[in-house]
């Protein structure tokens, strides 16, 4: 796919490329932006955040994000920053097409620096063909599912991405996938929170939010808003005759009819049960009456299976004329709706404060449709929708329902598997005050509560004692009590029950059931929303924890990767593991060979460095069958071995490390006597740390093996050079050993000592190019012959120059015959201009040359050689190096192999 720069060539040059020196800072910034990206709320803002953040971390010329459509096996571009963005956004490549499809199919990110030449490449129609470009394509995977792909481009013939940038892009892709997935889940939850699952209409919460907004707008603009409340006439008969499933079909059909009858600006909502509401912005009561009559007329002419023709009673109120408060305006409309029912049903009534007929009012004080009850019920429903915790919702019901219904006991249950578990209860008299979770929990289908949950129908009992399927709660006495059990239904599912009871016979009637059913509709939505919210919160917390763990392990890996050699890797492992997990002690145990005993290789926080600890038998036994981190059993072996010392009186966690050659080691961390057990977070951290340690140990072991092989090869080359000269067959090895002793005494750091070792081995490699006749001449050399010999340092440096590993050694080999006063060769360097390693080699070389036989002279005694070194110090040799060499030589160190 050919692409072009977003902002032109100058922008690309200004952006540059991520330098290795910036990589650590990039990883820190990557960890920081994880939190920022996960906090973005909408899909659009997440995409913008991904594009902007990635531009800072890995400068690019073009950028595309694809969303995977698994059903149609397509990639849908959702964002493109590119000159050809329009062409890219209109293309729908197959899910397995091109480099991007290959990356998704194989689950592997791809770095292709010559993407235009790759045979997998496919071109987006309308873009330039064969434009040179480098591409990183990262599959976006979250929660085990492919969400899409992220493509980053650099353009031009010299465009490339480094391996470090590729690794950074892969890690960034993990965060981007999780952020996009969270945004999609959040959008779905938001839609669920506003939508009735059965009818697809807006729900109770959205109805009141929208009505409040419209009333505020109408007040500011001196406009009006009309609200209609609709209730299906005799809907209970539909459920009783045809069943609740048919009742749900009727509700869905009515929702579709209402949606077709209103304007696009009107809002239709299902308030609960068979009650609907319509908000008409910028309309008065006359407009609302016209809509109400059209709805009634349409229903009178429409057959809705299986119930036939339906009637609805509609109440209308106008704001702000009738009320400015949303709750009061709805109450006005409901009063008008009940008046419509009282006047014969299937009609519309406009609210009038002077009129307020009620259907079958019954006895005084029992009218659940009174304006006071409506206001209290509306207030409770609103409160439920503002809560996000199921137990808080349950507590609100049992406490505030008391103002609507006079009960002695109220319980709210949730279905958990095949059980009904109480989340809140309240008992106001002695028979109920000993209730508990254990006593109240029952199975679905068991007792009155379980029967209501199983059947999905409300149960009204004048006396629960007379019910043949009632079950007495253990520990309670048999008493006469009235009871109502109402299922909490969310769509077709029963998610719980609300149960109220009162001492005495016949204490409740159908009005109480009706009120509880209306409340149950609100409660079901609130509880399900709270459940979804809690699930998302836990998932977000898990994602946050995973992010923190990833960030901590990223830092752990970075620090471990900078260690040099196996010993330093192990020392850093124990220190970093202890700090990562917040424990006082850590150790690493490795076998010397496959199947061998474990040996403590590094300790942190132990007295005397842990050197006195032997192999803990309990550790070895437990490790033999482990693949994941585990805690040592405190009772295993009664800690008869050094496991007790490892533990220090507290919990001990062990992470296996499986190495090459079937060697099995481990990282052991001890929490201390007061810390308790290791939680899931720390065990996950330990598992991640063990994986990093395994890689670091393997890399360090491989590096040491390569280093040994390299040095053996170097020494073999040096010996091959010396094999032609019977007088100097051990010359290079002696100089190397002596130079290293002098270098250590001078305090050279490890890298300088390594350069010194290699420089000493190779210091005469250039003599390969000197004729044997000159090198082996028995007598003094002539001036022309000396000119030939003086060429060997420069020749040696040229021989080593192509070898990348010896890049730092070339200068040492070239200058190992330079003199302190500048009289040496080949460049006439003087004093501190000469590399310290070259100055050390010169002193050792001169001493060994003087004390060994050569073709042109006999050797001199060591004492005379030492005298000559002292005489030439400050002229030919570095005085400090001479002093150190002679001090070591006098102790039998530097000259012991001469």
């Amino acid at each position: 796919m050919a692409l072009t720069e977003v902002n032109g060539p100058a922008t690309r040059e200004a952006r540059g490329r991520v330098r290795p020196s910036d990589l650590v800072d990039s990883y820190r910034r990557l960890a920081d932006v994880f939190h920022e990206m996960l906090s973005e709320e909408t899909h659009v803002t997440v995409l913008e955040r991904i594009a902007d953040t990635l531009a800072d971390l890995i400068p690019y010329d073009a950028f595309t994000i694809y969303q995977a459509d698994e059903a149609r096996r397509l990639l849908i571009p959702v964002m493109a920053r590119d000159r050809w963005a329009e062409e890219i956004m209109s293309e729908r490549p197959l899910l397995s097409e091109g480099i991007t499809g290959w990356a998704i199919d194989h689950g592997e990110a791809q770095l292709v620096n010559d993407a235009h030449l790759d045979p997998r490449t496919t071109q987006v129609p309308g873009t330039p063909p064969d434009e040179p470009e480098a591409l990183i394509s990262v599959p976006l995977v979250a929660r085990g599912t492919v969400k899409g792909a992220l493509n980053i481009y650099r353009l031009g013939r010299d465009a490339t991405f480094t391996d470090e940038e590729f690794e950074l892009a892969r890690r960034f892709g993990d965060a981007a996938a999780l952020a996009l997935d969270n945004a999609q889940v959040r959008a779905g939850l938001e839609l669920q929170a506003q939508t009735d699952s059965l009818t697809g209409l807006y729900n109770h919460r959205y109805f009141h939010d929208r009505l409040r907004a419209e009333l505020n707008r109408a007040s500011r603009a001196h406009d009006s808003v009309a609200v209609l409340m609709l209730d299906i006439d005799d809907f209970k008969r539909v459920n009783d005759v045809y069943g609740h499933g048919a009742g749900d079909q009727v509700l869905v059909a009515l929702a579709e009819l209402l949606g077709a009858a209103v304007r696009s600006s009107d809002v239709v909502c299902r308030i609960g049960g068979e009650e609907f509401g319509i908000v008409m912005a910028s309309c008065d009561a006359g407009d609302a009456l016209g809509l109400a009559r059209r709805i009634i007329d349409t229903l009178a002419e429409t057959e809705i299976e299986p119930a036939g023709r339906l009637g609805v009673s509609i109440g209308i109120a106008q704001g702000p004329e009738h009320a400015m408060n949303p709750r009061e305006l709805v109450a006005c409309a409901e009063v008008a709706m009940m008046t419509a029912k009282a006047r014969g049903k299937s009609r519309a009534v406009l609210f009038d404060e002077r009129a307020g007929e009620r259907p079958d009012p019954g006895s005084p004080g029992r009218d659940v449709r009174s304006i006071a009850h409506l206001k209290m019920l509306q207030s409770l429903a609103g409160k439920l929708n503002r809560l996000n915790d199921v137990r808080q919702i349950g507590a609100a019901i049992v406490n505030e329902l008391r103002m609507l219904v006079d009960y002695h006991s109220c319980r709210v249950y949730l279905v958990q598997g095949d059980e009904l578990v109480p989340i809140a209860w309240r008992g106001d008299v002695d028979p109920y005050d000993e209730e508990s979770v254990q006593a109240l929990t029952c199975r679905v289908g068991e007792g009155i509560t379980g029967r209501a949950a199983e059947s999905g129908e409300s149960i009204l009992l004048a006396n629960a004692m007379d019910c043949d399927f009632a079950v007495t709660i253990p520990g309670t006495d048999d008493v006469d009590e009235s009871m109502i059990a109402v299922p909490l239904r969310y769509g077709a599912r029963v998610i719980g029950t609300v149960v109220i009871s009162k001492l005495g016979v016949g204490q409740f009637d159908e009005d109480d059931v009706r009120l509880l059913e209306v409340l149950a509709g609100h409660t079901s939505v609130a509880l399900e929303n709270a459940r979804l919210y809690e699930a998302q919160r836990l998932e977000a917390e898990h994602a946050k924890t995973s992010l923190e763990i990833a960030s901590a392990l990223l830092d752990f890996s970075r620090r471990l990767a900078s260690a040099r050699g196996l010993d330093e890797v192990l020392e850093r492992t124990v220190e970093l593991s202890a700090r990562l997990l917040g424990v006082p002690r850590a150790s690493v145990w490795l076998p010397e060979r496959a199947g061998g005993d474990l040996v403590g290789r590094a300790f942190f926080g132990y007295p005397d460095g842990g050197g006195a600890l032997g192999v803990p038998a309990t550790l070895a036994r437990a490790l033999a069958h482990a693949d994941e981190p585990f805690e040592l059993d405190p009772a295993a072996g009664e800690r008869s071995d050094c496991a007790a010392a490892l533990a220090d009186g507290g919990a001990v966690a062990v992470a296996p490390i499986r190495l090459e050659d079937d060697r099995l080691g481990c990282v052991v961390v001890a929490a201390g006597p007061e810390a308790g057990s290791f939680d899931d977070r720390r065990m996950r951290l330990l598992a991640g740390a063990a994986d990093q340690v395994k890689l670091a140990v393997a890399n360090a072991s491989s590096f040491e093996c390569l280093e040994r092989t390299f040095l053996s090869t170097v020494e073999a080359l040096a010996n091959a050079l010396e094999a032609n000269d019977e007088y100097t067959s051990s010359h290079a090895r002696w100089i190397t050993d002596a130079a290293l002793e002098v270098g250590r005494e001078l305090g050279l750091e490890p890298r300088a000592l390594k350069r010194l070792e290699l420089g000493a081995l190779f210091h005469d490699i250039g003599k390969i190019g000197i004729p044997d006749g000159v090198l082996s001449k028995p007598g003094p050399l002539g001036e022309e012959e000396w000119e030939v010999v003086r060429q060997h340092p420069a020749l040696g440096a040229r021989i080593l120059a192509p070898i990348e590993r010896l890049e730092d050694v070339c200068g040492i080999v070239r200058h190992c015959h330079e003199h302190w006063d500048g009289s040496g060769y080949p460049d006439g360097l003087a004093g501190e201009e000469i590399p310290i390693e070259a100055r050390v080699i010169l002193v050792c070389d001169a001493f060994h040359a003087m004390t060994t036989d050569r073709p042109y002279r006999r050797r001199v005694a060591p004492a005379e050689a030492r005298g000559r070194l002292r005489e030439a110090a400050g002229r030919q040799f570095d005085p400090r190096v001479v002093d150190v060499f002679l001090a070591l030589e006098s102790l039998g160190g530097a000259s012991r192999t001469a």
Side-chain angles (χ1 to χ4, degrees), residues 431-450:
Y432 307 108
D433 58 11
E434 296 298 327
E435 294 177 335
S436 65
V437 172
Q438 292 76 16
L440 294 176
T441 298
C442 63
R443 302 183 71 82
V444 174
E446 178 186 10
I448 298 168
T449 303

Side-chain angles (χ1 to χ4, degrees), residues 3-42:
L3 301 168
T4 306
E5 297 173 78
V6 179
N7 296 313
T11 303
R12 181 169 70 239
E13 294 173 5
R15 285 175 176 167
R17 182 174 291 114
V18 173
R19 301 187 304 272
S21 61
D22 295 332
L23 187 59
V24 171
D25 179 61
S26 295
Y27 278 131
R28 288 197 187 101
R29 293 171 60 200
L30 177 60
D32 292 339
V33 301
F34 269 29
H35 289 286
E36 297 177 13
M37 287 172 57
L38 290 174
S39 67
E40 296 292 350
E41 294 188 356
T42 68

Side-chain angles (χ1 to χ4, degrees), residues 568-615:
E568 187 176 350
V569 165
L570 298 178
E571 290 296 330
R572 289 199 183 185
T573 291
V574 292
E575 179 182 356
L576 292 173
S577 296
R579 300 192 190 287
L580 179 69
L581 276 76
V583 297
R585 293 184 171 187
S587 56
V588 175
W589 299 76
L590 298 176
E592 293 182 340
R593 65 183 184 281
D597 291 337
L598 292 174
V599 177
R601 293 292 302 272
F603 298 88
F604 178 84
Y606 289 93
D608 302 323
L613 293 175
V615 180

Side-chain angles (χ1 to χ4, degrees), residues 333-346:
E334 286 197 318
V335 167
M337 179 182 70
M338 297 310 297
T339 302
K341 285 186 177 293
R343 293 179 181 177
K345 304 177 183 178
S346 192

Side-chain angles (χ1 to χ4, degrees), residues 178-198:
L178 189 57
L180 285 170
D181 186 59
N182 282 350
Q184 291 171 351
V185 171
R186 191 178 290 114
L189 288 175
E190 184 66 25
L191 181 61
Q192 286 182 330
Q194 296 179 348
T195 306
D196 173 57
S197 60
L198 176 63

Side-chain angles (χ1 to χ4, degrees), residues 195-488:
T195 306
D196 173 57
S197 60
L198 176 63
T199 62
L201 298 177
Y202 287 116
N203 61 13
H204 175 279
R205 173 184 293 181
Y206 185 83
F207 174 76
H208 284 274
D209 289 344
R210 181 60 178 268
L211 181 56
R212 181 178 295 104
E214 289 298 335
L215 279 170
N216 290 336
R217 181 200 58 77
S219 177
R220 291 193 305 268
H222 303 289
D223 199 358
S224 61
V225 56
V227 60
L228 294 81
M229 299 300 293
L230 299 83
D231 189 89
I232 302 176
D233 296 329
D234 302 318
F235 186 69
K236 186 175 184 302
R237 181 184 60 81
V238 176
N239 284 329
D240 291 343
V241 174
Y242 303 104
H244 287 280
D248 288 347
Q249 294 179 30
V250 170
L251 294 174
V252 172
L254 178 58
E256 293 175 353
L257 185 147
L258 294 177
V262 301
R263 305 173 304 169
S264 60
S265 58
D266 297 335
V267 178
V268 183
C269 307
R270 183 187 177 200
I271 305 302
E274 69 272 24
E275 195 170 25
F276 295 79
I278 301 176
V279 178
M280 301 179 68
S282 299
C283 289
D284 57 19
D287 299 321
L289 277 171
L291 173 61
R293 289 171 182 146
R294 289 196 301 274
I295 292 172
I296 292 171
D297 292 343
T298 302
L299 282 172
E301 300 170 357
T302 304
E303 291 281 345
I304 297 180
E305 294 295 335
R309 291 183 172 85
L310 291 179
V312 293
S313 296
I314 304 176
I316 300 167
Q318 176 180 321
E321 178 182 344
H322 295 144
M324 261 304 299
N325 182 287
R327 188 179 303 166
E328 293 178 1
L329 188 61
V330 170
C332 293
E334 286 197 318
V335 167
M337 179 182 70
M338 297 310 297
T339 302
K341 285 186 177 293
R343 293 179 181 177
K345 304 177 183 178
S346 192
R347 65 190 63 211
V349 172
L350 177 63
F351 174 73
D352 184 350
E353 293 179 342
R354 296 167 298 178
E357 299 123 66
R358 305 286 188 269
D360 302 323
S363 60
R366 301 295 294 169
D367 181 10
V368 299
R369 288 292 189 178
S370 69
I371 191 68
H373 277 72
L374 286 172
K375 286 187 175 180
M376 285 188 287
L377 186 59
Q378 191 68 43
S379 175
L380 176 54
K383 184 171 185 177
L384 296 181
N385 284 325
R386 291 192 295 271
L387 299 175
N388 290 318
D389 181 88
V390 293
R391 299 193 179 278
Q392 291 178 356
I393 292 172
I397 292 170
V398 299
N399 292 327
E400 300 198 21
L401 183 60
R402 190 73 177 77
M403 296 183 294
L404 291 170
V405 181
D406 183 23
Y407 66 74
H408 289 149
S409 173
C410 179
R411 308 158 196 153
V412 181
Y413 293 84
L414 277 184
V415 174
Q416 294 183 9
D418 60 353
E419 287 189 331
L420 284 161
V421 179
I423 60 171
W425 64 90
R426 175 177 174 175
D428 292 335
V429 292
D430 288 343
Y432 307 108
D433 58 11
E434 296 298 327
E435 294 177 335
S436 65
V437 172
Q438 292 76 16
L440 294 176
T441 298
C442 63
R443 302 183 71 82
V444 174
E446 178 186 10
I448 298 168
T449 303
R451 181 66 66 90
E454 184 179 54
S455 66
E457 297 182 358
S458 300
I459 298 174
L460 170 62
L461 297 172
N463 189 356
M465 285 288 294
D466 297 334
C467 179
D468 56 2
F469 54 81
V471 175
T472 302
I473 296 175
T476 64
D477 298 327
D478 291 339
V479 294
D480 291 330
E481 63 177 346
S482 303
M483 183 177 292
I484 300 175
V486 176
L488 300 175

Side-chain angles (χ1 to χ4, degrees), residues 1-4 64 66 75-77 79-93 123-128:
M1 177 175 63
L3 301 168
T4 306
T64 305
Y66 292 95
L75 283 173
I76 311 299
M79 181 179 217
R81 289 190 174 180
D82 193 285
R83 178 180 174 184
W84 307 99
E86 184 176 346
E87 287 78 5
I88 294 169
M89 294 297 290
S90 62
E91 178 69 1
R92 298 292 184 270
Q123 183 186 350
V124 173
T127 64

